[in-house]
Amino acid sequence: DQQVKQNSPSLSVQEGRISILNCDYTNSMFDYFLWYKKYPAEGPTFLISISSIKDKNEDGRFTVFLNKSAKHLSLHIVPSQPGDSAVYFCAAGSSNTGKLIFGQGTTLQVKP
Amino acid sequence: GAGVSQSPSNKVTEKGKDVELRCDPISGHTALYWYRQSLGQGLEFLIYFQGNSAPDKSGLPSDRFSAERTGGSVSTLTIQRTQQEDSAVYLCASSLPHITSGGNYTNSMSSYNEQFFGPGTRLTVL
């Protein structure tokens, strides 16, 4: 049972345009969500997070939107840069436990 | 400061052999997690240690997998009688203490249980 799903395995955008990465979840107990970025041969690094009490969190070029009724979150990167090319994982957690459930990842390619 | 470190970075073993993978978490992080990423797959949760509490082993795929955390710091993931399907990148992460509904731990809530990952150990079972 895949509780966190990233249905797009890959995304390609032009430098300067917006990248939108999507994530869906099924467990209504999740109350916080995170996005991680992963380069090859490195561990994932934290990017941005959002609590279920919010619907938007912004940090520089990165904005995460949460739609609780749809159990959907998205990461917007604008403007996209070639250095943003990486695999992006969304993750969800419940404040009752410490573990995170990760999606399958979306590979973003930003073309110069 | 030092991040999460893992060793070895690469491990090639023969089917049926046992392997041990090591994780050194960030100092002061009482929560430690093991994940694995198989080729083309996402991060699969394996096991979670939080302080002196019993570990959450719900993600271990079989009884060939076990993990220990000695002294609340270093952790070792052991895979016995390795199989080819065990080939993956094994990732360790650590975080600050996590608050529970019982309020047993304090937590930097602004971090939302941000987990810091090590570089991983690539395991290849021939």
Side-chain angles (χ1 to χ4, degrees):
Chain A
D1 176 29
Q2 191 76 29
Q3 297 186 64
V4 179
K5 295 181 182 180
Q6 293 176 255
N7 291 317
S8 297
S10 63
L11 174 68
S12 181
V13 300
Q14 205 67 34
E15 180 179 6
R17 307 295 290 270
I18 185 170
S19 296
I20 300 176
L21 297 101
N22 294 302
C23 179
D24 297 289
Y25 62 97
T26 58
N27 190 338
S28 58
M29 295 298 293
F30 291 144
D31 55 12
Y32 63 93
F33 306 88
L34 305 87
W35 284 93
Y36 280 80
K37 176 179 178 180
K38 185 181 185 300
Y39 292 116
E42 296 182 8
T45 55
F46 170 76
L47 197 55
I48 192 169
S49 62
I50 189 166
S51 163
S52 60
I53 63 174
K54 295 185 176 181
D55 56 16
K56 176 183 175 181
N57 188 27
E58 188 173 355
D59 183 3
R61 297 185 298 113
F62 302 91
T63 303
V64 55
F65 295 92
L66 176 63
N67 183 332
K68 284 182 61 180
S69 60
K71 293 190 175 67
H72 177 85
L73 65 153
S74 61
L75 174 68
H76 292 210
I77 306 172
V78 56
S80 301
Q81 299 173 355
D84 296 330
S85 298
V87 179
Y88 289 79
F89 291 97
C90 71
S94 165
S95 49
N96 288 328
T97 72
K99 69 185 184 186
L100 294 175
I101 305 299
F102 283 80
Q104 307 95 310
T106 296
T107 299
L108 173 66
Q109 182 184 29
V110 180
K111 298 180 179 178
Chain B
V4 177
S5 61
Q6 292 185 246
S7 61
S9 55
N10 281 283
K11 176 71 176 178
V12 180
T13 190
E14 293 179 349
K15 178 182 173 181
K17 296 285 182 68
D18 298 351
V19 295
E20 284 190 353
L21 312 179
R22 177 187 168 106
C23 172
D24 286 84
I26 293 173
S27 177
H29 282 190
T30 61
L32 186 146
Y33 314 78
W34 283 98
Y35 298 87
R36 74 175 176 181
Q37 185 180 17
S38 303
L39 189 63
Q41 302 296 313
L43 275 70
E44 176 189 2
F45 167 77
L46 297 177
I47 188 169
Y48 159 48
F49 295 90
Q50 170 63 76
N52 295 321
S53 301
D56 178 348
K57 303 180 182 179
S58 60
L60 295 178
S62 77
D63 58 8
R64 296 186 295 105
F65 288 72
S66 63
E68 290 185 341
R69 189 174 186 196
T70 55
S73 181
V74 171
S75 177
T76 302
L77 177 69
T78 301
I79 309 173
Q80 296 178 311
R81 305 180 303 282
T82 53
Q83 303 296 312
Q84 288 183 333
E85 60 263 28
D86 299 334
S87 297
V89 176
Y90 288 80
L91 290 157
C92 174
S94 70
S95 74
L96 291 169
H98 182 77
I99 195 167
T100 69
S101 57
N104 291 328
Y105 301 99
T106 57
N107 184 16
S108 172
M109 286 302 295
S110 63
S111 68
Y112 297 114
N113 195 36
E114 176 188 342
Q115 296 179 18
F116 295 82
F117 282 82
T121 293
R122 180 174 296 278
L123 174 66
T124 303
V125 182
L126 301 176

